[in-house]
Amino acid sequence: MHQRPFFGWIVVAAAGLGLATGIATVVAATFSIFVGPMRDEFGWDPSLPFWAPLAVTVTSAAAAPAVGSLVDRLGARRIVLVSFGLEALILASFHFMTGSIWGLYLRYVALGALCLGTTHVAFARVIALWFDRRRGLALGLALAGVGIGGIVLPLVCQALIEWQGWRAAYLGLAFIIVGITLPVLALTLHDSPARFGQTADGDPPGDAAAAARPSAPPLVGVPLREAVRERSYWLMMLTFLLIGIGLQSMMIHLVPMLRARGVEPMLAAAAQSTVFLGLVVGRLVTGWLMDRFFAPRVALAFLLAPLAGIAALATGASGPTAFLAAALIGLAAGAEVDVIAYLTSRYFGLHQYSRIYGTYYAVYSLGGGIGPVLTAQGVAQTGGYVTVLWLLIALLALAAGLLTMFRPFPDWSAPRAARAAANARAT
């Protein structure tokens, strides 16, 4: 019987497009592009807009476990399509903003509460079900969509702002979602390979490769209530909270920092795109490496890059050196989110994958919201970025130390009792 072509790589491409235009990318890649023109028009205090990313991340942190539970129960596809429709409506509403700072905050709260289906919480589960042996590479390719969106969106938004103003730029973002993202996802995003008569990686049921697969079949794993009792759960939580604070602070503040040093707006936007170019490379290379080497060690290696990049910025880097520093920061940002998604599946299985991953996404996002606000306050207190940058270096160095403490993955093909005994010995 003729075997149908494996549809998984099309699902990966669809997920990549979704992540390129989801709220995680839109907020990280465009906030710093919009904040200057909005601040100029409305006369806001310079530090006030930086509470908006905190608003979206706190809301996301509160909603992520519940959204993850919905994805586990209903499948990702329905949640994804509804979330993108709501994202387009909220982005279009920015066109009608008045000078009230609360209007900005409420819109970011709405993005966090209603649009989490546009993020890794939904898409990572889809990839984990479609792939096992090549899960690292598939996750890397899909999550690289964030980097591609991060390269394109700042330049598109800056061009629209210069052409028609920031209000039209928000309408442009909404149009991209409605005109491109939603139709493609409706046609190509599918929750499981079972619909095509295949198992993970495209192996037909009963195929030798499927039988020899070292990890468990889909949906085998521990529930969240058991995961929280394990040391690895809390070690991951602390590690990626610190990484979220450090890396997201740099991504949000890169453009304001460069503008404060006299860099032209379009050149600063290009530097922001460079961060996401590094993010694409980080995700692709990390995904490939995690299929071959112990993932926490891969994450540790990539975390060294932003230490060098931030140190260069702290010592006054400008011109090509600043662009190199931006790329190094993006390299790590791409690697670390990829690693969280991969480690969740390997440490805790797929039974309640989105629910467990949602808690990590929540904490990583919370760190990404707290960090930029603290950075803005630190800059206001010290009169510049230098001291704050060295503090961020210390924070990321601590996270690097924690990565050396991660234990080996459990063997999901082993009986439950054997896994428990192995976990006890590792602890």
Side-chain angles (χ1 to χ4, degrees), residues 332-386:
E336 303 312 329
V337 174
D338 203 356
V339 170
I340 298 172
Y342 186 88
L343 291 181
T344 302
S345 70
R346 292 307 186 198
Y347 277 127
F348 308 111
L350 299 178
H351 174 54
Q352 290 189 355
Y353 175 83
S354 291
R355 192 173 303 183
I356 296 171
Y357 179 72
T359 64
Y360 287 124
Y361 181 86
V363 170
Y364 184 82
S365 298
L366 185 62
I370 293 171
V373 172
L374 294 178
T375 298
Q377 293 180 339
V379 170
Q381 290 291 325
T382 62
Y385 278 93
V386 174

Side-chain angles (χ1 to χ4, degrees), residues 50 62 86 104 116 119 127 157 207 215 230 233 237 258 305 335 338:
F50 286 97
L86 293 171
L104 178 70
L116 272 180
T119 68
I127 301 304
C157 289
D207 185 81
S215 62
E230 298 188 16
Y233 178 87
M237 191 71 77
L258 293 178
D338 203 356

Side-chain angles (χ1 to χ4, degrees), residues 34 261 361:
F34 284 107
R261 294 179 178 180
Y361 181 86

Side-chain angles (χ1 to χ4, degrees), residues 4 6 129-130 190-200 203 205 218:
R4 297 181 68 174
F6 183 47
L129 288 174
W130 274 91
H190 300 281
D191 285 307
S192 167
R195 182 176 184 276
F196 296 86
Q198 297 173 328
T199 61
D203 302 322

Side-chain angles (χ1 to χ4, degrees), residues 67-422:
V67 174
S69 178
L70 283 175
V71 171
D72 284 332
R73 286 164 45 202
L74 304 177
R77 188 175 187 275
R78 280 182 281 183
I79 305 298
V80 165
L81 295 179
V82 171
S83 295
F84 271 106
L86 293 171
E87 183 192 7
L89 288 174
I90 295 168
L91 289 175
S93 78
F94 277 84
H95 177 78
F96 304 100
M97 273 192 60
T98 64
S100 171
I101 191 69
W102 290 102
L104 178 70
Y105 296 159
L106 288 173
R107 283 171 172 82
Y108 273 83
V109 168
L111 288 172
L114 302 176
C115 306
L116 272 180
T118 69
T119 68
H120 318 72
V121 174
F123 288 110
R125 181 183 188 272
V126 175
I127 301 304
L129 288 174
W130 274 91
F131 293 89
D132 179 48
R133 288 179 286 107
R134 294 174 288 183
R135 185 177 296 162
L137 176 60
L139 280 169
L141 289 169
L143 296 177
V146 175
I148 294 171
I151 294 170
V152 174
L153 293 183
L155 300 178
V156 169
C157 289
Q158 184 63 44
L160 287 173
I161 289 170
E162 294 181 0
W163 179 43
Q164 290 290 329
W166 63 267
R167 297 177 188 273
Y170 271 116
L171 290 179
L173 285 175
F175 177 80
I176 289 171
I177 293 169
V178 172
I180 301 175
T181 304
L182 269 172
V184 171
L185 291 176
L187 291 171
T188 59
L189 187 71
H190 300 281
D191 285 307
S192 167
R195 182 176 184 276
F196 296 86
Q198 297 173 328
T199 61
D201 299 300
D203 302 322
D207 185 81
R213 185 171 288 117
S215 62
L219 304 184
V220 172
V222 299
L224 177 60
R225 67 178 180 274
E226 292 185 20
V228 298
R229 299 172 189 165
E230 298 188 16
R231 171 181 173 272
S232 56
Y233 178 87
W234 296 106
L235 182 60
M236 279 182 62
M237 191 71 77
L238 177 58
T239 302
F240 291 104
L241 171 64
L242 298 178
I243 291 173
I245 292 173
L247 295 182
Q248 294 298 317
S249 294
M250 288 306 307
M251 292 176 70
I252 292 293
H253 277 273
L254 180 64
V255 171
M257 180 176 63
L258 293 178
R259 293 288 292 118
R261 294 179 178 180
V263 176
E264 293 298 318
M266 200 64 185
L267 194 59
Q272 184 82 344
S273 293
T274 304
V275 171
F276 286 90
L277 176 61
L279 189 147
V280 172
V281 175
R283 290 199 167 158
L284 294 178
V285 176
T286 302
W288 184 85
L289 289 173
M290 286 191 303
D291 287 332
R292 291 158 176 80
F293 303 100
F294 187 47
R297 300 294 181 266
V298 176
L300 175 60
F302 275 87
L303 197 55
L304 300 177
L307 295 177
I310 300 171
L313 292 171
T315 54
S318 60
T321 307
F323 275 74
L324 176 60
L328 291 175
I329 292 165
L331 197 68
E336 303 312 329
V337 174
D338 203 356
V339 170
I340 298 172
Y342 186 88
L343 291 181
T344 302
S345 70
R346 292 307 186 198
Y347 277 127
F348 308 111
L350 299 178
H351 174 54
Q352 290 189 355
Y353 175 83
S354 291
R355 192 173 303 183
I356 296 171
Y357 179 72
T359 64
Y360 287 124
Y361 181 86
V363 170
Y364 184 82
S365 298
L366 185 62
I370 293 171
V373 172
L374 294 178
T375 298
Q377 293 180 339
V379 170
Q381 290 291 325
T382 62
Y385 278 93
V386 174
T387 301
V388 176
L389 294 181
W390 286 112
L391 289 174
L392 293 176
I393 289 173
L395 205 66
L396 292 174
L398 176 58
L402 293 176
L403 283 168
T404 65
M405 301 169 62
F406 281 54
R407 63 175 176 78
F409 302 139
D411 181 4
W412 290 106
S413 64
R416 183 185 180 96
R419 291 201 308 269

